Amino acid sequence: QVQLVESGGGSVQAGGSLKISCVASGDTSTYSMGWFRTAPGGEREGVAANDIDGSTTYADSVKGRFTISRDNVHTLYLQMDNLRPEDTAMYYCAATPRWRVTRAQSLTPTNYDYWGQGTQVTVS
């Protein structure tokens, strides 16, 4: 069983930066992990994913602005630069066993088994 806890959200002006974190309880060394977001009135969408081999995948809307990283088996980060008002959303960390998801599927929320409670990011 994996439990995920996000932190680091907040309010920032457009063009600013924010770094959010996700700490996992349990060994996620064999898990793919990702960041997802839900904007007000919208559906959950994939933002960025990180596989155990270090490969990363990004949504087109955040490429060149967001960077996903994992510094050990327990912590996942999302560095967000040049933030835009349309990035305003609740951001969720998620994890799933590596065998459950291919790189092409890594931004699809339904492929993930474990979810955090979310951290709010507001860009004005």
Side-chain angles (χ1 to χ4, degrees):
Q1 191 77 0
V2 174
Q3 292 183 326
L4 306 170
V5 179
E6 303 95 333
S7 63
S11 297
V12 63
Q13 291 187 335
S17 297
L18 207 59
K19 187 174 185 177
I20 56 178
S21 303
C22 170
V23 177
S25 63
D27 184 0
T28 54
S29 61
T30 59
Y31 283 63
S32 295
M33 298 185 72
W35 287 100
F36 297 80
R37 67 186 182 187
T38 305
E43 296 184 353
R44 191 164 297 186
E45 63 175 359
V47 175
N50 178 281
D51 204 346
I52 58 174
D53 63 0
S55 61
T56 56
T57 305
Y58 294 94
D60 289 343
S61 59
V62 306
K63 280 181 182 176
R65 301 189 299 120
F66 290 11
T67 304
I68 188 172
S69 62
R70 192 190 314 199
D71 67 350
N72 53 44
V73 297
H74 295 297
T75 309
L76 185 74
Y77 301 99
L78 186 67
Q79 175 69 45
M80 302 180 288
D81 298 318
N82 192 19
L83 282 160
R84 304 167 179 169
E86 54 262 41
D87 295 319
T88 294
M90 184 71 79
Y91 283 72
Y92 299 90
C93 172
T96 196
R98 174 60 183 86
W99 61 266
R100 277 210 60 191
V101 61
T102 66
R103 188 170 184 180
Q105 302 167 327
S106 59
L107 295 182
T108 303
T110 53
N111 290 322
Y112 287 76
D113 293 332
Y114 302 101
W115 292 85
Q117 82 290 347
T119 186
Q120 178 68 38
V121 173
T122 302
V123 185
S124 59

